[in-house]
């Protein structure tokens, strides 16, 4: 109306539209529209499905009444339907209750606790962050298993300690760490991550680790992704073509495990550390290996430039840091 009034007084539409902050095309569209609504962001809109204030008040009255005060909306709605009365959906009941701070835990059971993601740990060198876990090794006797305790360094993927026992006990765990750390000099063992089973949370083991000022963290229940490095090792272990499906005795299991760890540490070309062995990564030989690979690639590109064109050479190097349970941003 104001635009038409200005136009009647002699102003052109383009100048008036520019003054009020709209385009001439918008004005033309408004004139052609028979059902004009304000669709600007932030404008007041009519939401057909929105509950009226009267309905919201009725929901609160019903839920707080003496009859339904101990029922949940999942029970209230069908009971009302049995009487031929519909007020709102179950989700609407919950939404109204939350909006008025009327939804609280009232059961005799303890409220469910939300599992907190383990803290992020970064390894920038060997012997800074270790992970460990226990896996089952089947025996030839049906229903009987041996238990492999394994510790891995997440930076160089080196198996720093292992043991096999006939049961899962906390004192086996402490014995493993005591034997692994005995005789090691200048070790900077800072962090340890594990599953949350009883062998990992034993009082004597935790006391031993706390005495070394080790930062300890645990995976969430039934969340294998919280401990991916040791789980990846277990997959390599059990999908190896020489893995016995069953072990005749605990001595058989220990002998095979010893040979496998020897192969894994000293011969296995690990993909996540640039296809060098964990031992080469741990003792520093990987840097010279990567340097030789890069020099060979540069010489090959000079000799056969047409094979690369404009593509850059693949650079072989070691990761500066390995992150466990990386925080999402």
């Amino acid at each position: 109306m104001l635009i038409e009034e200005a136009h009647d007084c002699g102003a052109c539409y383009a100048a008036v539209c520019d003054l009020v902050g709209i385009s001439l095309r918008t004005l033309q569209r408004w004139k052609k529209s028979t059902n004009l609504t304000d669709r600007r962001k932030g404008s007041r809109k009519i939401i057909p499905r929105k509950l009226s204030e009267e309905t919201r008040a009725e929901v609160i009255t019903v839920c707080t009444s003496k009859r339904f005060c101990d029922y949940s909306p999942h029970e209230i709605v069908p009971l009302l339907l049995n009487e031929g009365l519909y007020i709102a959906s179950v989700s609407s009941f919950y939404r109204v209750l939350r909006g008025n701070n009327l939804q609280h835990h009232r059961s005799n059971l303890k409220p469910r606790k939300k599992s907190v993601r383990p803290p992020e740990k970064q390894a920038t060198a060997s012997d800074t962050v270790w992970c460990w876990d226990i896996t089952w090794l089947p025996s030839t006797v049906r229903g009987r298993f041996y238990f492999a305790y394994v510790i891995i360094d997440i930076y160089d993927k080196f198996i720093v300690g292992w043991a096999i026992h006939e049961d899962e006990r906390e004192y086996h765990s402490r014995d493993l760490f005591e034997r692994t750390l005995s005789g090691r000099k200048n070790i900077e063992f800072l962090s340890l991550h594990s599953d949350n089973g009883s062998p990992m949370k034993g009082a004597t083991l935790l006391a031993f680790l706390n005495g070394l000022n080790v930062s300890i963290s645990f995976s969430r229940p039934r969340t294998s992704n919280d401990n991916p490095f040791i789980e990846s090792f277990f997959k390599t272990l059990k999908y190896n073509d020489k893995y016995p499906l069953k072990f005749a005795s605990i001595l058989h299991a220990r002998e095979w495990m010893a040979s496998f760890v020897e192969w894994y540490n000293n011969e296995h070309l690990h993909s996540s550390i640039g296809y060098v062995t964990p031992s080469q990564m741990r003792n520093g030989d990987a840097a010279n290996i990567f340097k030789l690979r890069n020099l060979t690639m540069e010489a090959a590109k000079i000799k056969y430039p047409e094979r690369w064109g404009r593509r850059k050479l693949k650079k072989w190097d070691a990761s500066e840091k390995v992150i466990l349970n990386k925080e999402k941003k």
Side-chain angles (χ1 to χ4, degrees), residues 131-137 145-151 163-174 176-177 193-201 205 227 230-231 233-234 237-238 257:
C131 293
W132 82 285
D133 201 355
I134 302 173
T135 190
W136 295 12
L137 303 178
F145 297 88
Y146 302 114
F147 300 89
Y149 298 59
V150 183
I151 308 172
I164 295 180
H165 298 284
E166 294 182 337
D167 52 12
E168 289 183 291
R169 292 290 185 268
E170 177 264 335
Y171 57 83
H172 292 324
S173 304
R174 169 161 182 160
L176 171 61
F177 279 91
H193 183 80
S194 69
D195 200 353
N196 58 4
S198 57
M200 293 80 174
K201 290 187 171 182
L205 174 62
N227 201 1
I230 193 69
E231 296 294 345
F233 169 76
F234 287 155
L237 170 78
K238 295 186 177 182
M257 189 71 173

Side-chain angles (χ1 to χ4, degrees), residues 247-299:
F247 294 90
S249 65
I250 191 170
L251 180 61
H252 176 209
R254 287 171 176 170
E255 289 177 346
W256 185 87
M257 189 71 173
S259 62
F260 179 82
V261 171
E262 178 69 18
W263 168 83
Y264 185 88
N265 283 341
N266 300 302
E267 298 181 39
H268 175 54
L269 300 179
H270 205 293
S271 59
S272 67
I273 54 176
Y275 291 96
V276 296
T277 67
S279 293
Q280 291 171 334
M281 188 70 177
R282 192 173 187 82
N283 59 29
D285 291 342
N288 293 329
I289 294 174
F290 292 146
K291 184 178 179 180
L292 178 59
R293 289 180 186 176
N294 291 329
L295 291 174
T296 304
M297 291 287 289
E298 291 172 3

Side-chain angles (χ1 to χ4, degrees), residues 97-297:
L97 292 176
R98 282 195 302 269
N100 290 271
N101 195 26
L102 293 175
Q103 185 180 353
H104 304 285
H105 181 79
R106 296 182 296 170
S107 172
N108 292 329
L109 298 174
K110 291 184 179 180
R112 181 181 297 177
K113 293 183 179 179
K114 184 178 180 181
S115 299
V116 180
R117 186 180 181 86
E120 177 183 295
K121 295 181 181 293
Q122 296 186 8
T124 55
S126 300
D127 293 328
T128 54
V129 181
W130 289 358
C131 293
W132 82 285
D133 201 355
I134 302 173
T135 190
W136 295 12
L137 303 178
S139 71
T140 53
V141 179
R142 185 180 180 88
R144 183 182 178 187
F145 297 88
Y146 302 114
F147 300 89
Y149 298 59
V150 183
I151 308 172
I152 189 171
D153 189 316
I154 73 168
Y155 181 76
D156 53 32
K157 310 303 182 291
F158 190 86
I159 304 302
V160 295
W162 65 273
I164 295 180
H165 298 284
E166 294 182 337
D167 52 12
E168 289 183 291
R169 292 290 185 268
E170 177 264 335
Y171 57 83
H172 292 324
S173 304
R174 169 161 182 160
D175 179 67
L176 171 61
F177 279 91
E178 286 181 337
R179 289 190 293 103
T180 301
L181 294 173
S182 63
R184 292 174 177 264
K185 298 180 180 180
N186 301 323
I187 189 171
E188 296 182 1
F189 177 34
L190 303 178
S191 299
L192 176 69
H193 183 80
S194 69
D195 200 353
N196 58 4
S198 57
M200 293 80 174
K201 290 187 171 182
T204 58
L205 174 62
L206 295 182
F208 173 73
L209 296 173
N210 288 330
L212 300 175
N213 296 321
V214 174
S215 173
I216 306 171
S217 61
F218 301 98
S219 300
R220 290 168 291 183
R222 298 173 296 279
T223 310
S224 60
N225 289 340
D226 288 347
N227 201 1
F229 297 101
I230 193 69
E231 296 294 345
S232 177
F233 169 76
F234 287 155
K235 182 177 180 180
T236 303
L237 170 78
K238 295 186 177 182
Y239 282 81
N240 185 272
D241 57 355
K242 296 181 180 180
Y243 174 71
L245 297 179
K246 296 179 181 179
F247 294 90
S249 65
I250 191 170
L251 180 61
H252 176 209
R254 287 171 176 170
E255 289 177 346
W256 185 87
M257 189 71 173
S259 62
F260 179 82
V261 171
E262 178 69 18
W263 168 83
Y264 185 88
N265 283 341
N266 300 302
E267 298 181 39
H268 175 54
L269 300 179
H270 205 293
S271 59
S272 67
I273 54 176
Y275 291 96
V276 296
T277 67
S279 293
Q280 291 171 334
M281 188 70 177
R282 192 173 187 82
N283 59 29
D285 291 342
N288 293 329
I289 294 174
F290 292 146
K291 184 178 179 180
L292 178 59
R293 289 180 186 176
N294 291 329
L295 291 174
T296 304
M297 291 287 289

Side-chain angles (χ1 to χ4, degrees), residues 17-30:
C17 289
D18 184 62
L19 182 64
V20 298
I22 64 173
S23 67
L24 181 60
R25 181 69 186 88
T26 299
L27 177 62
Q28 294 170 350
R29 187 173 65 254
W30 286 358

